[in-house]
């Protein structure tokens, strides 16, 4: 039971990252490689602040703003520097690696005996792993509500229009470059926040902890879409978080089947590939079913 509650708690925290990735991957329609640098950057800022005695809530908020900084850098490189978004993200990700080493002072820093957002006095009274679920659920709900409200504003609609049809958005007087920068900042802010939360949950920050995070986030998005199909935008945000929980439970199942934790990255890639191919398989199945019905008709 503790393994299941642990997976649910982790799924909620990783769901914050998936929500951030959803803004760029689904709404703006481009891949942002900054993710793999932003995640450990948020963790490094949060852990460094906690080690120096900063309040856990303030340290967690700092991880969000740290992520926004990396998003801003990528956004400026992409829109003003005219560097392709994929390369702009890689450049930022590469540079942030050295920044993380500067912040932490070494490759790995632990939080032993440090106060965190997940080990407060009230939360310690809860059963094992439930503090993570409670904090994760509260933050996920707040983020989903704020994103839903934002996307329903004029600014949010301009942001969505930029992703749907950039030329049409420009014809309506929308500054699409500013929308892209805003999207990258919000996206990476949430990813940095997820990094800070998961660093507190794991008890450490590591400069290499961002490897594979993009695959994890995409897996959560795709699983949520596959399981729930066509939904309203707000419902999709909820589905992304649920998809993250399902993904963690799938990994737990794989672990119970005897696979090593060293295989998680490979398994993650396989799960993502299968989920992304499901719509194709479904379409082929429907086509064959229609053809079969046509042949059977007299």
């Amino acid at each position: 039971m503790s393994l299941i509650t642990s997976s649910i708690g982790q799924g909620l925290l990783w769901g914050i990252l998936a929500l951030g990735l959803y803004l760029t991957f689904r709404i703006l329609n481009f891949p942002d490689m900054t993710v793999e640098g932003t995640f450990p950057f948020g963790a490094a800022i949060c852990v460094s602040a906690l080690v120096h005695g900063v309040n856990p809530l303030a340290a967690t908020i700092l991880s969000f703003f740290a992520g926004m900084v990396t998003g801003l850098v990528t956004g400026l490189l992409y829109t003003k520097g005219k560097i392709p978004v994929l390369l702009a993200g890689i450049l930022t990700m590469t540079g942030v690696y050295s920044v993380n080493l500067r912040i932490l002072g070494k490759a790995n820093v632990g939080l032993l005996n440090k106060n965190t957002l997940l080990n407060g006095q009230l939360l310690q009274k809860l059963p094992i792993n439930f503090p993570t679920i409670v904090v994760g659920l509260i933050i996920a709900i707040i983020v989903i509500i704020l994103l839903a409200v934002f996307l329903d504003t004029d600014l949010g609609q301009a942001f969505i229009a930029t992703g749907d049809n950039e030329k049409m958005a420009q014809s309506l007087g929308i500054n699409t470059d500013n929308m892209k920068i805003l999207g990258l900042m919000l996206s990476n802010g949430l990813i940095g926040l997820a990094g800070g939360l998961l660093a507190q949950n794991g008890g450490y920050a590591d400069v290499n902890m961002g490897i594979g995070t993009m695959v994890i986030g995409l897996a959560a998005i795709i699983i949520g879409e596959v399981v729930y199909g066509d939904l309203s935008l707000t419902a999709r945000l909820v589905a992304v978080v649920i998809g993250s929980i399902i993904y963690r439970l799938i990994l737990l199942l794989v672990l119970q089947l005897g696979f090593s934790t060293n295989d998680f990255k490979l398994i993650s890639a396989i799960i993502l590939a299968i989920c992304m191919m499901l719509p194709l398989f479904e379409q082929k199945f429907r086509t064959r079913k229609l053809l079969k019905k046509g042949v059977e008709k007299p």
Side-chain angles (χ1 to χ4, degrees):
M1 186 62 184
S2 63
L3 290 175
I4 294 175
T5 54
S6 174
S7 296
I8 293 172
Q10 293 245 343
L12 287 166
L13 298 183
W14 280 104
I16 308 298
L17 179 142
L19 287 171
L21 193 58
Y22 184 85
L23 295 177
T24 51
F25 182 72
R26 276 292 184 244
I27 297 181
L28 286 180
N29 291 317
F30 56 67
D32 177 26
M33 290 300 295
T34 319
V35 175
E36 301 206 353
T38 300
F39 183 78
F41 185 49
I45 290 290
C46 184
V47 168
S48 180
L50 290 170
V51 167
H52 287 87
V54 176
N55 178 273
L57 180 59
T60 304
I61 293 172
L62 280 175
S63 65
F64 174 77
F65 287 109
M68 291 189 76
V69 171
T70 62
L72 175 63
V73 172
T74 299
L76 292 174
L77 289 174
Y78 174 45
T79 59
K80 309 303 179 185
K82 303 304 178 186
I83 297 174
V85 66
L86 198 62
L87 182 56
I90 292 172
L91 289 173
T92 305
M93 176 184 68
T94 304
V96 167
Y97 184 86
S98 294
V99 176
N100 289 338
L101 282 172
R102 288 277 186 179
I103 292 170
L104 294 175
K106 52 185 177 180
N108 187 298
V109 172
L111 287 172
L112 186 64
N113 299 324
K114 299 293 180 182
N115 291 326
T116 72
L117 205 62
L118 301 172
N119 65 7
Q121 290 183 349
L122 291 176
L123 293 174
Q124 285 181 343
K125 297 177 181 179
L126 296 174
I128 188 170
N129 297 321
F130 273 82
T132 306
I133 294 176
V134 171
V135 172
L137 187 60
I138 291 171
I139 294 177
I141 290 171
I142 292 172
V143 169
I144 289 171
I145 291 173
L146 291 177
L147 284 178
V149 171
F150 163 70
L151 293 172
D152 198 41
T153 62
D154 290 341
L155 183 61
Q157 290 300 306
F159 172 64
I160 293 171
T162 299
D164 284 342
N165 191 322
E166 186 176 345
K167 290 184 178 179
M168 183 192 74
Q170 289 173 343
S171 70
L172 294 173
I174 298 171
N175 189 324
T176 54
D177 279 356
N178 286 348
M179 291 300 104
K180 291 173 184 176
I181 292 173
L182 175 63
L184 284 163
M185 289 179 68
L186 287 176
S187 170
N188 283 280
L190 291 175
I191 292 161
L193 174 62
L197 289 168
L198 283 159
Q200 291 178 72
N201 184 59
Y204 73 97
D206 190 288
V207 293
N208 294 312
M209 66 191 297
I211 297 173
T213 50
M214 190 170 186
V215 172
I216 295 171
L218 289 176
I221 293 170
I222 301 299
I223 290 171
E225 290 176 341
V226 168
V227 171
Y228 292 98
D230 293 331
L231 297 168
S232 65
L233 187 55
T234 303
R236 287 181 190 178
L237 297 177
V238 176
V240 167
V241 176
I242 294 175
S244 177
I245 295 172
I246 293 172
Y247 170 75
R248 300 309 301 186
L249 290 173
I250 291 172
L251 287 184
L252 174 61
L253 176 62
V254 169
L255 187 63
Q256 293 300 305
L257 291 175
F259 286 88
S260 168
T261 53
N262 295 330
D263 299 325
F264 270 11
K265 301 295 183 185
L266 174 61
I267 293 166
S268 298
I270 293 171
I271 291 171
L272 178 58
I274 292 171
C275 289
M276 293 188 77
M277 288 189 291
L278 281 177
L280 177 63
F281 295 147
E282 186 180 358
Q283 185 180 3
K284 286 185 176 181
F285 176 76
R286 286 179 180 176
T287 303
R288 287 182 181 179
K289 196 173 181 180
L290 288 172
L291 289 172
K292 188 176 179 181
K293 284 183 178 179
V295 171
E296 289 176 352
K297 284 182 180 180

